Amino acid sequence: MRQWQANEFGWWYLLRYVRGERFSLHMADLNAAGSLYVLGGLIGATRAVTDRPRRLLWLAALIVILPAGWLTGSRTAALAALVAGIVVFPFAVWRVRVARPRAAVAAAVVLVILLAALSTGRAEERGSAGMSLRLRSAFLQTSARMWASAPIFGVGVGRYHERSAQFMPDELRAIYPHENAHNYFVQQFAELGLVGGIAFLWLVAASLIAGWRIVRAGPVDGILVGLFAGTLGYLITCVPGHPLLVPEAALPFWGALGSVAAAGASERSTPNVTTRRALAAIIPVLLMASVGLHAVRYVRPVSPPTDRGFHELDMAEDGSPFRWMTRHGVTHVGPERGILTVPVRAPAFLDRARPWVVEVAVGGWVVDRREVPSDRWVSITIPVRQRAFRPFRRIDLRANQVWSASRDRGKPRDDRPMSVMVGEIRWDAVGR
């Protein structure tokens, strides 16, 4: 509503996506926002069917959610809402014992979801559907290579993004310097291996099965049906996306899935004593093996870690190559003793009273902190007198503030966080 007001309440506002614009005011990840609307929308649609005293309130909530979901332009969210609605709603109408007026409301809700899905699928950018399929195929190839490098325990929690460049095909690397898997289930197997991936699948499947048993047993509360439909639709969006990586979109889902699992859990179900003893013996062994393997890989990595916290290479007005840094950038140099040189410069087009300050840490220890001017390059030179015990030495750069092109330069489509300009980092070894 706030954004609509900013556009003078024009009816053309809803045509933004038709013209190639996707939009979400409260969440930067548009597909994650679409997944969240699927969760809330299906819960609201179910309650509009089953909660007669408050039906108008639920329908009013749907009227607000539908245009917001439309503006995200998420075809995956529209398809997930359609599939989950078709699977759950007819069954729910039968089990909840809905009268004819409620059945009519249910049919209207399914029709609205269908129309939303069809219209969203029609509004595509130039070649976006075909391009999306090609990119998803390349991401699957990336994930398969990453999983093959560590099939049992994976590459580590949260490390897919930073290590993705090592496994990307050339076509994908030319577009993304680093990226997530665009498939949350696949990303779990890449990051956590077979052990963590299978455990994650069990958690999700066991929760849904428990809820489905209650829905099938009927008659059931419409709230449970709505939660089941919403979580099912949300999980469908996790197949071509990764909404669970966005905290604002993940926390509501886990709350809903936990409610579904708790409602479907049997009060008399207790774990077998033999099973508990076996788990008590296996889990410590797996933990020790995982810690040992990661300790070996930490001391003797098979490849140099990739840089993170930097945007693509750019060229300054004086011809110097540089990269815009986010608030925190990480790079690595050799293990020998040597001299580290980091050229930095603050953005000249921002008029801020607060000075730009960059902090440099070598191997986790802060060794320099200084103010960075905007009218010239400054080289931070740091002598390192001790040899690292690992094949690579970690360098951390941290800035005290950030800016974005959407907020500070009037470019609405570029909301990437940026701080200072970082030139070519040089490492001059002086000994072995």
Side-chain angles (χ1 to χ4, degrees):
M1 292 294 292
R2 194 178 90 194
Q3 184 67 10
W4 191 20
Q5 183 272 335
N7 288 274
E8 301 176 357
F9 296 104
W11 66 271
W12 48 266
Y13 175 62
L14 290 178
L15 298 179
R16 292 182 64 166
Y17 176 48
V18 178
R19 299 169 180 171
E21 271 187 88
R22 300 176 61 190
F23 178 79
S24 173
L25 186 64
H26 73 290
M27 195 174 297
D29 191 316
L30 297 170
N31 292 321
S35 300
L36 191 60
Y37 289 138
V38 169
L39 177 65
L42 288 175
I43 293 174
T46 307
R47 298 302 290 152
V49 176
T50 59
D51 188 2
R52 171 172 276 177
R54 288 177 289 272
R55 179 173 298 162
L56 291 180
L57 292 176
W58 291 111
L59 289 175
L62 286 176
I63 291 173
V64 176
I65 286 179
L66 283 175
W70 159 270
L71 287 172
T72 65
S74 176
R75 293 184 294 270
T76 300
L79 180 62
L82 174 63
V83 172
I86 290 177
V87 169
V88 176
F89 272 100
F91 195 84
V93 169
W94 178 265
R95 290 292 183 182
V96 182
R97 298 176 181 175
V98 180
R100 284 186 180 180
R102 296 186 183 182
V105 173
V109 170
V110 173
L111 179 61
V112 169
I113 295 174
L114 176 61
L115 292 176
L118 293 177
S119 58
T120 303
R122 184 187 68 242
E124 296 179 352
E125 299 178 31
R126 297 183 299 273
S128 62
M131 175 63 74
S132 178
L133 289 176
R134 289 196 299 272
L135 291 179
R136 292 300 191 280
S137 176
F139 278 121
L140 286 176
Q141 186 177 349
T142 302
S143 302
R145 292 175 178 177
M146 188 179 298
W147 174 81
S149 69
I152 305 302
F153 296 107
V155 298
V157 177
R159 298 196 64 196
Y160 189 103
H161 187 274
E162 67 178 83
R163 297 200 58 188
S164 58
Q166 301 176 29
F167 304 96
M168 284 181 177
D170 294 337
E171 177 190 4
L172 195 60
R173 193 182 295 110
I175 303 174
Y176 299 101
H178 305 279
E179 189 51 90
N180 289 300
H182 287 271
N183 184 319
Y184 192 79
F185 297 97
V186 169
Q187 184 153 340
Q188 291 301 292
F189 277 89
E191 290 188 350
L192 305 177
L194 287 174
V195 175
I198 292 174
F200 175 75
L201 288 181
W202 171 84
L203 172 66
V204 172
S207 301
L208 287 180
I209 291 172
W212 179 246
R213 286 173 179 169
I214 295 297
V215 172
R216 285 188 59 190
V220 295
D221 190 344
I223 296 177
L224 177 61
V225 176
L227 289 169
F228 181 82
T231 52
L232 177 62
Y234 190 104
L235 285 171
I236 293 174
T237 68
C238 292
V239 176
H242 43 251
L244 290 175
L245 293 178
V246 182
E248 299 91 335
L251 291 176
F253 166 77
W254 289 118
L257 185 67
S259 300
V260 171
S266 172
E267 296 181 357
R268 293 178 295 176
S269 62
T270 56
N272 183 275
V273 176
T274 304
T275 302
R276 287 187 295 183
R277 290 177 178 175
L279 289 175
I282 292 173
I283 289 176
V285 174
L286 291 176
L287 288 174
M288 288 187 292
S290 176
V291 171
L293 288 174
H294 283 83
V296 171
R297 289 174 183 168
Y298 175 79
V299 176
R300 298 185 178 277
V302 295
S303 60
T306 56
D307 291 355
R308 67 175 187 269
F310 299 95
H311 296 293
E312 63 275 7
L313 189 66
D314 205 341
M315 193 71 65
E317 295 178 356
D318 59 0
S320 303
F322 76 95
R323 293 180 294 174
W324 286 110
M325 187 180 77
T326 62
R327 191 158 198 159
H328 180 200
V330 179
T331 187
H332 294 79
V333 297
E336 313 87 0
R337 293 178 296 167
I339 299 176
L340 175 69
T341 304
V342 184
V344 292
R345 182 177 177 179
F349 46 80
L350 293 178
D351 185 15
R352 292 189 178 180
R354 185 182 180 188
W356 292 84
V357 178
V358 172
E359 178 183 273
V360 182
V362 178
W365 296 91
V366 177
V367 295
D368 199 305
R369 183 186 292 108
R370 69 177 64 185
E371 186 174 328
V372 179
S374 60
D375 57 346
R376 66 184 186 279
W377 287 95
V378 172
S379 292
I380 302 176
T381 304
I382 301 170
V384 181
R385 297 181 176 85
Q386 294 182 346
R387 180 182 174 85
F389 72 93
R390 297 187 67 214
F392 310 101
R393 192 191 308 269
R394 174 171 169 144
I395 308 297
D396 289 80
L397 306 175
R398 291 182 174 86
N400 66 330
Q401 55 186 315
V402 295
W403 64 276
S404 69
S406 61
R407 182 185 62 190
D408 299 298
R409 306 199 72 180
K411 297 180 179 180
R413 296 190 180 184
D414 189 359
D415 58 356
R416 298 174 299 168
M418 302 184 189
S419 59
V420 297
M421 305 160 67
V422 179
E424 183 178 358
I425 299 175
R426 194 171 68 253
W427 173 250
D428 298 317
V430 298
R432 293 290 179 182

